[in-house]
Amino acid sequence: MERRTDSPDQSVEAVFQEFGNMLYRVAFVMMKNAFDAEDVVQDTLIKYMEHRKRGSVFETEGHRKAWLIRVDINLCKNRLRFYKNHPKIGMEQLSRYYEEKEDTRLMDSLLLLPSRYREVLLLHYVEGYQGKEIAQMLGISESAVRKRLERGRGKLRDLLEETG
């Protein structure tokens, strides 16, 4: 029979020492990169701390291990789902694209826009967020987001025509 693990001596450090490598391997296989895998392991340990803070206990070491793996996998799935729903283009990719095309007019014009228009255009077209999500992030109404997108596109078009 496995021993009970509800003793307070199972600190986060002890759990990390015992299960950290396993959690990292699981996250790495799912996320396919070290940076996201490290973030997921860190988030898993935070969830563990919150779980312990609520006074929850594990019946056995096997139960603790299974719980940690399940949380690790669920956090990976959440992150992958977010990436799928919010595709983004990194600034590196953008600059490489424009350097290759030798057409920096669009980026230069975008950077000349007032921040209120630039931020909604970047969030919508580069980061892939929808109007409702942008409204929540910026603390403005959806209609304000739509209006800023409309005005920002107009100002961007004018700037491109001036320089073109």
Side-chain angles (χ1 to χ4, degrees):
M1 181 175 185
E2 294 186 73
R3 64 180 172 89
R4 291 183 61 87
T5 60
D6 55 356
S7 62
D9 63 344
Q10 282 294 338
S11 67
V12 175
E13 293 84 11
V15 169
F16 179 71
Q17 289 298 320
E18 189 171 348
F19 301 110
N21 287 334
M22 176 208 46
L23 293 172
Y24 177 79
R25 285 190 307 271
V26 169
F28 186 81
V29 166
M30 290 190 71
M31 300 305 299
K32 297 181 180 119
N33 75 66
F35 299 113
D36 285 334
E38 290 168 358
D39 287 345
V40 167
V41 171
Q42 183 177 8
D43 291 345
T44 301
L45 293 173
I46 290 170
K47 292 278 187 193
Y48 176 76
M49 288 188 312
E50 291 168 351
H51 185 77
R52 294 288 292 169
K53 192 175 194 177
R54 288 190 303 265
S56 302
V57 295
F58 298 100
E59 290 295 318
T60 63
E61 277 300 310
H63 182 219
R64 180 189 318 274
K65 182 178 179 180
W67 186 90
L68 287 165
I69 291 171
R70 177 53 35 209
V71 169
D72 199 49
I73 289 170
N74 286 342
L75 289 170
C76 287
K77 286 180 180 180
N78 291 347
R79 192 173 288 250
L80 290 169
R81 188 178 310 115
F82 178 83
Y83 290 159
K84 180 182 175 201
N85 293 334
H86 300 93
K88 66 177 185 174
I89 300 170
M91 291 306 282
E92 263 183 32
Q93 290 171 310
L94 274 178
S95 61
R96 264 199 314 260
Y97 172 77
Y98 288 109
E99 286 170 6
E100 288 171 7
K101 300 291 183 186
E102 294 183 13
D103 181 14
T104 59
R105 283 184 30 223
L106 180 61
M107 277 304 277
D108 292 342
S109 298
L110 186 62
L111 294 174
L112 292 174
L113 290 176
S115 65
R116 65 183 328 167
Y117 302 124
R118 185 175 59 235
E119 63 190 5
V120 294
L121 288 170
L122 284 171
L123 287 170
H124 183 70
Y125 291 107
V126 177
E127 297 296 329
Y129 287 102
Q130 299 300 313
K132 183 177 184 179
E133 296 167 312
I134 296 170
Q136 289 173 340
M137 281 189 261
L138 300 179
I140 58 177
S141 67
E142 283 185 68
S143 61
V145 170
R146 285 191 300 272
K147 193 51 123 174
R148 287 183 186 183
L149 281 169
E150 178 187 332
R151 289 179 180 162
R153 284 188 294 258
K155 288 184 179 294
L156 186 58
R157 187 178 329 103
D158 294 344
L159 284 170
L160 288 170
E161 286 173 2
E162 286 175 17
T163 60

